[in-house]
Amino acid sequence: MATLVQTIGFPILFIPYFLFPSITTSSSTPTTSVSPRVIFLLYVVLGALIAGDNMLYSVGLLYLSASTYSLICATQLAFNAVFSFFLNSQKFTALIFNSVVVLSLSASLLAVNDNSDEPSGVSKKNYAFGFVATLGASALYAFLLSIMQLSFQKVIKKETFSVVLELQIYTSFFATCVSTIGLFASGEWRTLGGEMDSFGKGGMAYVMTLVWTAVAWQVCSVGVVGLIFVVSSLFSNVISTLSLALTPLAALVVFHDKMNGVKLIAMLMALWGFCTYIYQNYLDDLKAKREQTDATGAVLSEGSTPLLLEA
């Protein structure tokens, strides 16, 4: 159920999909059409991988303490940096490297600060299995982000927001199918009634928790895929890691949680890492504009009389 709830809320995305149809930007250039069979196969493969990744995360959370689980999850940014370099031709500068390292350390610092106890009754074998599952999930998640960016660039080749929603809707549909099959094949569906009855706040609260968790996952996933579409998979993961460091601040405001020195340092480190990444993007943008200006000036100098002078 923990795996299924991460993707089953995809029908809610049909609301923005039909209410806000995307218009292709005027700067976009026509591209060669891709076979619908290829697109279908892409969605099926991504959906199956997403279901597997969600399952690995769920298993890890079952057998590990929250601190150990969060600490291992922090490695996904490092995995993403490697995959982005090989699959997406991501250029690494000193500022980007600093951002990846500092953000990873910030997330790790929060994990070490977590004093949660390990789940009771977990054997060493299950603990090791949870450790490997979480590490594999982090690597697979980073791989999925890079593959999505590559799919936008090489396969889908469209510049509309509808593409982001379509990717999320169809991959979530196939991931939901795989997760549903797993739910019934494992026999876990027989325990759902007991879980609902034993839920502390009652059956209705159990259902509402699942519903709004599913909705929240879809909002989060659209944001992740949208950032991949607009910027890059590495930037999307940077934002996700930054949000992890800012969570204690939200907990302080909403739940009146305690704010200690370790959490404050972790947040400051995360903000520093994020700012260095943004500054690198700013430098890249300035360089691109300078090159464009130089190219335009070269064209005018080589050509005949400019149009303004002719007029």
Side-chain angles (χ1 to χ4, degrees):
M1 179 56 69
T3 302
L4 180 62
V5 77
Q6 297 181 50
T7 56
I8 199 173
F10 71 90
I12 196 175
L13 299 181
F14 284 110
I15 297 176
Y17 183 76
F18 290 116
L19 289 181
F20 306 103
S22 299
I23 301 176
T24 306
T25 57
S26 58
S27 61
S28 61
T29 56
T31 57
T32 56
S33 59
V34 180
S35 170
R37 184 179 299 178
V38 175
I39 299 294
F40 176 80
L41 182 61
L42 174 67
Y43 290 153
V44 171
V45 173
L46 287 177
L49 290 176
I50 290 172
D53 189 50
N54 293 342
M55 182 62 184
L56 289 174
Y57 273 127
S58 300
V59 170
L61 192 58
L62 178 65
Y63 293 133
L64 300 177
S65 66
S67 59
T68 304
Y69 176 82
S70 301
L71 185 62
I72 300 173
C73 288
T75 62
Q76 67 188 31
L77 187 57
F79 281 120
N80 196 194
V82 175
F83 288 128
S84 295
F85 178 78
F86 288 103
L87 297 178
N88 309 126
S89 301
Q90 173 75 46
K91 294 181 180 180
F92 277 87
T93 63
L95 289 175
I96 291 181
F97 181 77
N98 173 80
S99 176
V100 171
V101 172
V102 172
L103 280 167
S104 299
L105 290 176
S106 173
S108 301
L109 191 61
L110 283 175
V112 173
N113 182 67
D114 193 332
N115 295 322
S116 57
D117 297 327
E118 296 183 4
S120 58
V122 176
S123 63
K124 292 183 178 180
K125 180 179 179 180
N126 287 338
Y127 183 85
F129 181 64
F131 185 94
V132 173
T134 306
L135 187 64
S138 299
L140 182 56
Y141 178 75
F143 177 74
L144 277 168
L145 295 184
S146 295
I147 287 296
M148 286 182 182
Q149 180 180 347
L150 192 65
S151 300
F152 280 131
Q153 296 171 344
K154 303 297 184 181
V155 181
I156 300 176
K157 298 181 181 180
K158 292 182 181 179
E159 297 183 3
T160 63
F161 185 67
S162 294
V163 170
V164 175
L165 293 176
E166 287 174 2
L167 179 66
Q168 181 60 27
I169 289 171
Y170 292 124
T171 56
S172 294
F173 169 75
F174 290 113
T176 299
C177 292
V178 174
S179 301
T180 303
I181 293 173
L183 180 67
F184 283 93
S186 64
E188 187 179 328
W189 64 274
R190 298 187 182 93
T191 66
L192 297 182
E195 288 183 6
M196 184 182 301
D197 294 335
S198 61
F199 197 67
K201 298 293 184 178
M204 180 57 67
Y206 177 83
V207 173
M208 295 303 293
T209 299
L210 292 180
V211 169
W212 290 108
T213 301
V215 172
W217 268 115
Q218 290 306 305
V219 174
C220 173
S221 298
V222 168
V224 169
V225 177
L227 285 177
I228 295 174
F229 174 74
V230 176
V231 188
S232 67
S233 62
L234 185 60
F235 181 78
S236 179
N237 212 337
V238 164
I239 296 298
S240 299
T241 308
L242 174 67
S243 66
L244 178 65
L246 295 180
T247 299
L249 184 61
L252 175 66
V253 175
V254 179
F255 301 111
H256 306 290
D257 199 2
K258 294 182 180 180
M259 175 65 70
N260 56 32
V262 176
K263 293 180 181 179
L264 183 61
I265 293 174
M267 284 194 298
L268 293 176
M269 289 176 62
L271 290 173
W272 172 257
F274 175 72
C275 289
T276 57
Y277 192 98
I278 293 299
Y279 183 64
Q280 180 61 59
N281 284 353
Y282 170 74
L283 294 179
D284 293 341
D285 187 56
L286 283 182
K287 182 179 179 181
K289 289 181 178 179
R290 191 180 302 114
E291 291 176 351
Q292 184 178 5
T293 302
D294 293 343
T296 304
V299 170
L300 288 177
S301 62
E302 293 176 2
S304 57
T305 307
L307 294 178
L308 289 176
L309 294 180
E310 289 181 357

